[in-house]
Amino acid sequence: GQQLNQSPQSMFIQEGEDVSMNCTSSSIFNTWLWYKQEPGEGPVLLIALYKAGELTSNGRLTAQFGITRKDSFLNISASIPSDVGIYFCAGRQTGANNLFFGTGTRLTVIP
Amino acid sequence: GAGVSQSPSNKVTEKGKDVELRCDPISGHTALYWYRQRLGQGLEFLIYFQGNSAPDKSGLPSDRFSAERTGESVSTLTIQRTQQEDSAVYLCASSWRGWGETQYFGPGTRLLVL
């Protein structure tokens, strides 16, 4: 299957700092999604991107669909303790049914 | 107004036994998905149901895995003759229609095969 390379694998940051993580693929995707998963829960959709170059914000979160359609990034500004969790990117190819997920970025926010 | 629910929340079984995992999607959602999440990994697509269409089984890893869905409601994922490598969290999601829609995930079933 497709490989989505997500980095970094983990981050330890101080409360108030900004966070940046990204996802790259060897193939073109027509949709990029960013999810957050907290312990014992299923992933929750944060942001969905549908067009190359699209930049979308959701509160302190901002995500972009790369121009090449092979990458996406997620930024979190002014992190707070409740941002802790695992962030997954996911992508979908044209004409395909399934989503491919990255391996996740585990975020720890130190108060 | 419940979200997606799954049962059991945890399951410990012995190698070689069969297990059944249940998913109750959000009422009115016609699409249902099963994923597997191994420790420290992302989600791996298993199977997709959409209304009365034939399911997309392209993600099932072996013939020991099967799933059924009753109409547009409950789904059961069955793993026969479980192996230790089947140990994972099995997540179910549903959406209003198909793949282009937002998927809402359940909390998952944590399966441990001893």
Side-chain angles (χ1 to χ4, degrees):
Chain A
Q2 293 295 330
Q3 293 285 336
L4 291 189
N5 300 306
Q6 193 170 343
S7 66
Q9 287 186 331
S10 62
M11 304 181 73
F12 290 81
I13 62 168
Q14 291 287 139
E15 181 177 359
E17 289 183 353
D18 296 344
V19 172
S20 183
M21 60 190 78
N22 67 78
C23 199
T24 61
S25 167
S26 58
S27 301
I28 289 174
F29 286 91
N30 66 4
T31 301
W32 283 99
L33 306 168
W34 285 93
Y35 286 86
K36 179 186 178 187
Q37 186 176 28
E38 297 186 14
E41 303 290 329
V44 174
L45 182 65
L46 299 174
I47 292 181
L49 302 159
Y50 300 105
K51 291 193 303 186
E54 180 179 356
L55 184 71
T56 297
S57 293
N58 178 5
R60 293 178 295 105
L61 278 61
T62 301
Q64 185 159 26
F65 192 142
I67 291 291
T68 65
R69 297 167 68 190
K70 293 183 178 182
D71 61 350
S72 177
F73 72 75
L74 175 71
N75 285 344
I76 305 172
S77 62
S79 58
I80 58 178
S82 62
D83 291 334
V84 165
I86 302 176
Y87 292 79
F88 290 99
C89 63
R92 179 163 55 240
Q93 296 178 293
T94 301
N97 273 335
N98 51 314
L99 288 175
F100 294 98
F101 280 79
T103 51
T105 294
R106 182 180 297 272
L107 178 64
T108 301
V109 179
I110 303 167
Chain B
V4 177
S5 61
Q6 292 186 245
S7 61
S9 54
N10 293 281
K11 177 73 176 178
V12 180
T13 191
E14 293 179 346
K15 178 182 172 181
K17 295 281 180 69
D18 297 352
V19 295
E20 280 191 357
L21 313 180
R22 176 186 168 110
C23 173
D24 284 88
I26 293 172
S27 178
H29 281 192
T30 62
L32 186 147
Y33 320 74
W34 283 98
Y35 293 87
R36 178 170 67 180
Q37 186 177 27
R38 289 197 164 114
L39 188 64
Q41 300 293 314
L43 280 67
E44 176 188 5
F45 166 72
L46 296 178
I47 189 168
Y48 161 61
F49 295 91
Q50 169 54 52
N52 295 320
S53 302
D56 177 351
K57 304 179 181 180
S58 60
L60 294 178
S62 78
D63 59 8
R64 295 187 295 105
F65 288 72
S66 63
E68 292 184 350
R69 188 179 186 194
T70 307
E72 292 184 351
S73 59
V74 171
S75 176
T76 301
L77 177 69
T78 301
I79 309 174
Q80 295 178 309
R81 304 181 302 283
T82 52
Q83 304 294 312
Q84 288 181 332
E85 64 261 26
D86 298 334
S87 296
V89 176
Y90 290 83
L91 289 157
C92 174
S94 70
S95 67
W96 185 250
R97 289 191 177 84
W99 280 104
E101 308 266 335
T102 299
Q103 296 178 33
Y104 296 88
F105 283 84
T109 293
R110 282 148 194 79
L111 175 66
L112 177 62
V113 182
L114 301 176

